Amino acid sequence: MNAKSTWVAFASGLLFGVGLIVSGMANPAKVLGFLDLAGQWDPSLTLVMGGAIAVGLLGFGWARRRTTTLFDHAPLQLPDNRRIDRRLILGSIAFGVGWGLAGICPGPAVVALVLAPGQAWPFVAAMLAGFWLYGRLARGGRG
């Protein structure tokens, strides 16, 4: 990765983080309000998700027509697995349950480390422990 790519990646991540803050996605109370369909539902995040899907569709459509990355011209590696298997379903369920219970997911949790570190650290610590545990289990308990 060259210096230009590094700066573009940094700027993209910063823009994403600011977008999470401005949209309310880094606020667990707002997210839980969005997920509470039977109670005091807050539909405002529907626009955020719709916008994210639109940008993603445009970005992947553009990337599908390329063979190399934009700045360092390395081979472009897009996901090609379209299988829906047990791991995908169980992972999706675990993600959804965790998001519904905590009102936060990994991206906004990293942003929350800056906004409310005292509240975010327990979630981030549990998330990192889960990453580590998955890595151990995926390797069959080896190193």
Side-chain angles (χ1 to χ4, degrees):
M1 183 180 261
N2 62 36
K4 190 174 186 179
S5 294
T6 301
W7 280 108
V8 169
F10 174 78
S12 298
L14 185 62
L15 179 64
F16 180 70
V18 169
L20 290 172
I21 293 167
V22 170
S23 69
M25 290 292 289
N27 178 353
K30 184 148 184 88
V31 172
L32 290 172
F34 171 71
L35 296 173
D36 186 10
L37 298 176
Q40 299 255 337
W41 183 54
D42 177 0
S44 61
L45 293 183
T46 304
L47 297 173
V48 174
M49 290 189 182
I53 290 169
V55 169
L57 288 173
L58 291 172
F60 274 107
W62 177 79
R64 224 176 272 123
R65 295 189 298 273
R66 297 186 55 87
T67 57
T68 61
T69 59
L70 190 58
F71 294 111
D72 56 5
H73 303 290
L76 189 61
Q77 299 175 359
L78 294 175
D80 59 0
N81 182 359
R82 301 210 182 275
R83 274 193 353 249
I84 297 175
D85 58 8
R86 188 175 70 164
R87 284 181 57 188
L88 176 66
I89 292 170
L90 292 175
S92 300
I93 290 170
F95 179 89
V97 167
W99 196 37
L101 290 173
I104 197 160
C105 61
V110 173
V111 172
L113 283 174
V114 175
L115 299 176
Q119 295 172 354
W121 272 113
F123 180 90
V124 172
M127 178 178 76
L128 293 174
F131 291 165
W132 176 82
L133 180 61
Y134 172 78
R136 295 277 303 186
L137 294 173
R139 289 188 304 271
R142 297 182 305 276

